[in-house]
Amino acid sequence: MAMQREIGLVGLTFVAVGGVLGSGWLFAPLLASQLAGPAAVLAWGIGAVAMLLLALAFAEITALFPVAGGIARIPQFSHGRLLAMVLGWSAWAGYCTTAPIEVEAALRYASAYLPGLHQGEGDGLTVLGYAAAAALLLVFTLVNAFGVAWFAKINTTLTWLKLVIPMIFLVAIVAARFEPQNFVAHEGFAPYGMSGIFAAVASGGVVFAFIGFRHAIDMAGETRDPQRTIPLALILAVVICLVVYGGIQIAFIGALDPAQLEAGWAAVESAHTLGPLGALATAVGLLWLVSLLNAAAVISPIGGALVAVGSNGRLAMAIANNGVFPGIIARLNAYGVPLWALLLNYVVALVLLVSIPFAEIVALNGAAIVLSFVAGPVVVVSLRALDPAAERSFRLPAAPILGALGFAVATLMIYWSGWDTIWRLLLLLVVGLALFGLRLAIGGREDLSPRGALWLAPYLVGLTVMSLMGGYGGGYGIVPHPFDSVIVAVLSLAVFVMAVRDRLPREDYERFIAEEKVLEAEEYGTAEVPQAG
């Protein structure tokens, strides 16, 4: 059975929106306000623009090459198999932790109704909770196994709920209490200046809230009219989520009791089990809204887990095609879905859920996913040089400039994750390289195009050194803020130039395009990758 292009514009947009709107919207407004005060509203705008730089880079590439598991496959066209393997492995390992994270979050909130699922704050799931988690993950796997059209319909329904509930909260809270003076109280609109705004972007969860748009890239291979649908879906998803997060941030700031601000924004706290939004709803007497938020706290991560399972199946399929996993992992079932990839991911997700504490899984998730984002800006500029005549339905404006800025944004995201995250990232890469080496030893030599991955060495070494010397997440704080971020940004720009320079020769690019045509013919029954110009 061939893969089916059955996801339309609404479906793909909601795949991205569903990945962005997890349970984090219940907590992000407080953390951003603590760091930036009322100017947290600007932080959401800055974060959205930063993510849009990356989304637009991926929009051009995935419209040109609408392949399943795009994050793992696309780097091969411009830089060869080795780079595609490294970035694909990093993304896959992170995705394997996403569904367990979302499922455990859903069960934690569901324990308000079913106390036997979770041991309590700071503790993990009970035996019953683990059984429920295994059952939920299996359900998500089965939903995805029966075709992309069914998956898209269920995800669209869940995402509508994930959009409607925050909007109900926003309207209800603003109607119940809105204090305009909160936006200028206690040292004005931006009490901590630009450094506070950028701290909210970096450490307040703002920029990381938007990275769920990546799921639309992985489902690109099953999208109708991909040249039009993919760019529109990515842009719409970022804009929709900006409206949701920005609106909730405004409502949160305006609904706070002015007495809570007497000690300053940094001192605002919430001990409510549903976070600051639950505390606000309780404070203004909207108990029905608390119940609605509790339902949202269960629905949002469930929707996120469903999307993660689907996109991770395509990623496992892609890295099987890259040579990391056996070829059977890329085999499609009767519904055009990589069933063996879904089953592999299910087993790995269960092992991670049972064997690693929740906090460690979260750190592993962030460490693994962020690296894969650097591919977009590098590939889009490299492909402009390799194949300038290729027909592009969407073109990133000022690609060299915006590509460099996007690469810097992705690099700063990795750096801001901190040393505690980066050392896990390095460990994951070592494991991935070991597995790939084993595959090569068993299956013979492959053309890896190692030059295309050379820039990763100074890139990872520079990030490692700076994360140790900086003050984020376990760093020693030798280089103070903001000089550390400036140094990392300069490093990223230098490496970006090196990465683009180390792209494949034209003849290798054309060879990979020819290979992709054969693979596409097997997956879809016809070759759909554009001709080289």
Side-chain angles (χ1 to χ4, degrees):
M1 177 68 179
M3 298 191 84
Q4 303 297 307
R5 292 197 181 276
E6 295 184 327
I7 305 179
L9 178 59
V10 173
L12 192 65
T13 300
F14 276 31
V15 165
V17 171
V20 173
L21 291 180
S23 58
W25 63 270
L26 292 164
F27 302 92
L30 172 63
L31 186 54
S33 296
Q34 289 173 331
L35 293 169
V41 176
L42 297 181
W44 286 106
I46 293 171
V49 170
M51 281 297 97
L52 199 56
L53 289 175
L54 292 171
L56 291 177
F58 280 108
E60 176 175 328
I61 305 165
T62 49
L64 187 61
F65 297 112
V67 296
I71 287 180
R73 295 268 289 280
I74 288 171
Q76 177 175 313
F77 300 134
S78 63
H79 286 77
R81 284 192 177 93
L82 183 58
L83 182 67
M85 184 282 297
V86 172
L87 298 183
W89 164 262
S90 179
W92 176 79
Y95 278 35
C96 280
T97 64
T98 300
I101 288 170
E102 299 285 18
V103 165
E104 180 156 348
L107 293 177
R108 183 187 299 122
Y109 293 117
S111 65
Y113 308 105
L114 300 169
L117 296 174
H118 203 272
Q119 298 179 41
E121 193 66 30
D123 296 315
L125 298 173
T126 62
V127 173
L128 179 61
Y130 281 118
L136 279 174
L137 288 171
L138 181 59
V139 168
F140 301 148
T141 301
L142 292 174
V143 167
N144 278 279
F146 284 102
V148 70
W150 192 26
F151 154 79
K153 289 177 182 177
I154 294 175
N155 177 67
T156 297
T157 300
L158 287 173
T159 303
W160 273 120
L161 292 174
K162 293 166 68 172
L163 284 171
V164 168
I165 293 176
M167 292 297 99
I168 291 175
F169 168 84
L170 194 160
V171 173
I173 286 292
V174 170
R177 182 168 67 194
F178 192 79
E179 305 285 350
Q181 66 269 25
N182 286 354
F183 288 85
V184 292
H186 302 284
E187 300 184 43
F189 178 71
Y192 308 114
M194 289 303 299
S195 62
I197 295 173
F198 285 114
V201 174
S203 308
V206 171
V207 75
F208 289 97
F210 287 99
I211 65 174
F213 79 81
R214 68 190 184 273
H215 295 297
I217 300 166
D218 299 312
M219 306 297 287
E222 292 147 288
T223 301
R224 293 195 303 269
D225 189 13
Q227 286 73 26
R228 168 184 172 271
T229 300
I230 295 169
L232 283 175
L234 289 172
I235 294 169
L236 283 172
V238 173
V239 172
I240 289 170
C241 293
L242 171 61
V243 171
V244 173
Y245 277 111
I248 292 174
Q249 185 70 65
I250 291 171
F252 172 76
I253 293 170
L256 284 173
D257 185 339
Q260 291 181 265
L261 305 177
E262 291 179 355
W265 287 95
V268 176
E269 294 182 355
S270 172
H272 198 282
T273 56
L274 285 175
L277 305 191
L280 276 183
T282 302
V284 298
L286 299 178
L287 299 183
W288 63 270
L289 190 55
V290 175
S291 299
L292 191 64
L293 289 174
N294 211 343
V298 176
I299 293 171
S300 291
I302 282 178
L306 175 66
V307 172
V309 168
S311 63
N312 199 29
R314 280 68 184 174
L315 258 182
M317 173 184 172
I319 61 177
N321 287 323
N322 288 344
V324 179
F325 293 150
I328 191 176
I329 300 300
R331 190 175 298 171
L332 303 177
N333 69 0
Y335 299 94
V337 172
L339 177 61
W340 288 104
L342 290 172
L343 293 176
L344 169 67
N345 294 341
Y346 175 70
V347 172
V348 172
L350 281 183
V351 171
L352 290 173
L353 182 67
V354 173
S355 62
I356 302 179
F358 184 72
E360 297 289 327
I361 293 180
V362 172
L364 192 63
N365 176 268
I369 290 175
V370 288
L371 180 63
S372 62
F373 277 78
V374 304
V378 170
V379 173
V380 74
V381 177
S382 298
L383 288 178
R384 290 282 187 93
L386 283 169
D387 199 353
E391 183 179 347
R392 290 168 167 84
S393 60
F394 173 82
R395 295 178 68 91
L396 177 68
I401 297 173
L402 294 186
L405 289 175
F407 188 84
V409 167
T411 304
L412 287 169
M413 287 174 61
I414 299 172
Y415 171 68
W416 291 332
S417 298
W419 170 245
D420 291 337
T421 295
I422 289 176
W423 75 260
R424 291 179 172 88
L425 172 61
L426 297 174
L427 180 61
L428 274 174
L429 294 180
V430 169
V431 172
L433 288 171
L435 287 176
F436 193 54
L438 180 62
R439 282 283 295 154
L440 290 177
I442 295 173
R445 183 179 177 182
E446 294 191 31
D447 180 10
L448 301 180
S449 304
R451 178 181 173 181
L454 284 178
W455 59 271
L456 275 179
Y459 185 71
L460 293 175
V461 169
L463 275 174
T464 300
V465 171
M466 284 306 302
S467 66
L468 279 169
M469 296 179 66
Y472 291 94
Y476 290 107
I478 298 172
V479 181
H481 175 78
F483 299 106
D484 56 343
S485 293
V486 172
I487 293 172
V488 170
V490 172
L491 166 70
S492 71
L493 294 177
V495 173
F496 178 77
V497 173
M498 178 183 178
V500 172
R501 183 198 65 197
D502 288 343
R503 60 186 178 270
L504 293 174
R506 169 76 184 201
E507 56 270 23
D508 288 348
Y509 166 74
E510 292 178 343
R511 178 168 51 83
F512 280 128
I513 291 295
E515 290 178 7
E516 187 64 25
K517 284 180 178 293
V518 175
L519 188 59
E520 289 287 311
E522 294 174 355
E523 292 176 353
Y524 298 97
T526 179
E528 299 192 15
V529 173
Q531 293 281 349

